[in-house]
Amino acid sequence: MSEPRVSAEPLRTDRLDLLPLRVEHAEEMAAVLADPALHRFIGGEPLSPDALRARYERLVAGSGDPAVSWCNWVLRLRAGSCLVGTVQATITADGTAEISWVIGTPWQRRGLASEAARGLVAWLEQGPVHTVVAHVHPAHQASATVAAAAGLTPTEEWQDGEVRWRRQRLPR
C-alpha cells in the first residue's frame, strides 16, 4: 500500500514565502523565468505566459500516478512583494523526494535559492520523506552550492549528464 499523496503547503523562511503553485502565477513567473541564460544547464527556452499557464495547469492537476506527489511552489520575496523563482519536489511512495530550484536572474547571488532549498528540505523531512535527491550539472557551481547548503552531498551516481546529490535522514 502506498503512502497518501503529499500536498504543497505554504512555507516561510527568513525572507521568502513559498506559496503553493497556482495557474494564476504563470504570467508573473513567465517574466521571472524569461532570461534564456536560466536554461544553459537544463536545456529548453523560456516559455510564454500562455505556455507556462498550460504547464502550470498540468502541474497543479498532479501526477497521474497515485504513488507520486508533485509539490510545486513559487517564491515570493517579502521585501519586494514579488515572485522570484520556484522550488519543487517530486515525492514517491518509497519516501524519496527529488527536488529542484530556480531563481530569476535579477535575484540571483543573494542566497535565495539556498534559503528556499533549506526550507523545502526541512519541510520534506517532517513528513514521510527520508531521502532527498537533486541532480546538478557538474559545471553549475551555483546549483552545487545550493545543494550543499540544503545538506545534500554529491554521490558517484550520474543521470542524464548530471551528478546525483543526496541527503539521507536517519530513521526516527
Side-chain angles (χ1 to χ4, degrees):
M1 186 165 139
S2 66
E3 291 283 331
R5 285 200 182 214
V6 179
S7 296
E9 300 174 0
L11 306 174
R12 186 176 173 98
T13 65
D14 288 343
R15 298 175 289 170
L16 298 167
D17 291 321
L18 283 67
L19 307 172
L21 180 69
R22 295 190 337 249
V23 174
E24 295 79 25
H25 292 131
E27 189 162 340
E28 185 174 354
M29 285 305 302
V32 170
L33 303 174
D35 186 350
L38 291 175
H39 298 269
R40 177 176 170 212
F41 295 107
I42 60 172
E45 58 189 356
L47 297 176
S48 69
D50 287 340
L52 195 57
R53 186 174 299 104
R55 178 185 166 119
Y56 284 3
E57 286 171 355
R58 289 189 303 275
L59 291 174
V60 168
S63 169
D65 182 343
V68 176
S69 298
W70 292 345
C71 295
N72 297 275
W73 293 262
V74 293
L75 309 175
R76 183 172 63 85
L77 182 63
R78 283 192 299 279
S81 192
C82 60
L83 299 182
V84 298
T86 65
V87 291
Q88 59 189 55
T90 298
I91 305 166
T92 55
D94 70 357
T96 300
E98 185 169 326
I99 66 170
S100 64
W101 49 84
V102 64
I103 297 290
T105 304
W107 300 278
Q108 291 179 0
R109 299 188 165 304
R110 299 182 193 182
L112 296 173
S114 294
E115 182 177 324
R118 281 192 305 270
L120 174 59
V121 168
W123 179 79
L124 289 167
E125 290 184 342
Q126 291 174 10
V129 171
H130 57 76
T131 303
V132 178
V133 298
H135 296 94
V136 177
H137 190 283
H140 198 325
Q141 184 56 49
S143 242
T145 299
V146 172
L152 284 73
T153 55
T155 69
E156 298 295 320
E157 300 169 50
W158 288 71
Q159 181 176 330
D160 299 327
E162 296 181 319
V163 176
R164 178 178 280 229
W165 288 60
R166 176 181 288 117
R167 174 184 171 111
Q168 190 114 22
R169 182 182 74 198
L170 295 175
R172 294 182 187 172

